Amino acid sequence: RMLGFRPEQIVAAGDSGNDADMLAECPGAVVVANHDRDLAHLIGRQGIYAARRGNAGGVLEGLLWHRWQARAARQGRPRVAA
């Protein structure tokens, strides 16, 4: 909030258990393919994209997916499950 961003403008990405709280609270999140088992419970939650790629490739994949979702929402199209 201090920087003027709205929650829907933020995407968080992670791969390990210490990222779990951040991913669960962020309205747009990415769990990369090479994630720890500690994050498996987040897969399937609304707003969380499970990337097919690991590491930075998974982050980029998730950013593109969330961007596409935001564009679809602005155009009045329904969101697609991750």
Side-chain angles (χ1 to χ4, degrees):
R1 286 188 171 157
M2 289 178 16
L3 297 175
F5 291 107
R6 295 184 316 272
E8 62 272 8
Q9 293 177 297
I10 299 170
V11 175
D15 66 352
S16 63
N18 65 333
D19 299 322
D21 290 340
M22 170 185 69
L23 296 169
E25 293 299 319
C26 187
V30 179
V31 176
V32 295
N34 60 313
H35 64 83
D36 292 343
R37 287 185 290 163
D38 298 341
L39 298 182
H41 71 282
L42 297 174
I43 305 297
R45 282 193 184 183
Q46 183 176 353
I48 296 182
Y49 178 76
R52 294 179 184 95
R53 297 178 182 180
N55 304 313
V59 174
L60 291 173
E61 178 186 331
L63 288 171
L64 289 172
W65 186 85
H66 280 292
R67 180 179 175 197
W68 182 81
Q69 290 291 306
R71 184 174 292 153
R74 283 193 304 274
Q75 293 174 355
R77 294 188 316 230
R79 290 184 164 240
V80 177

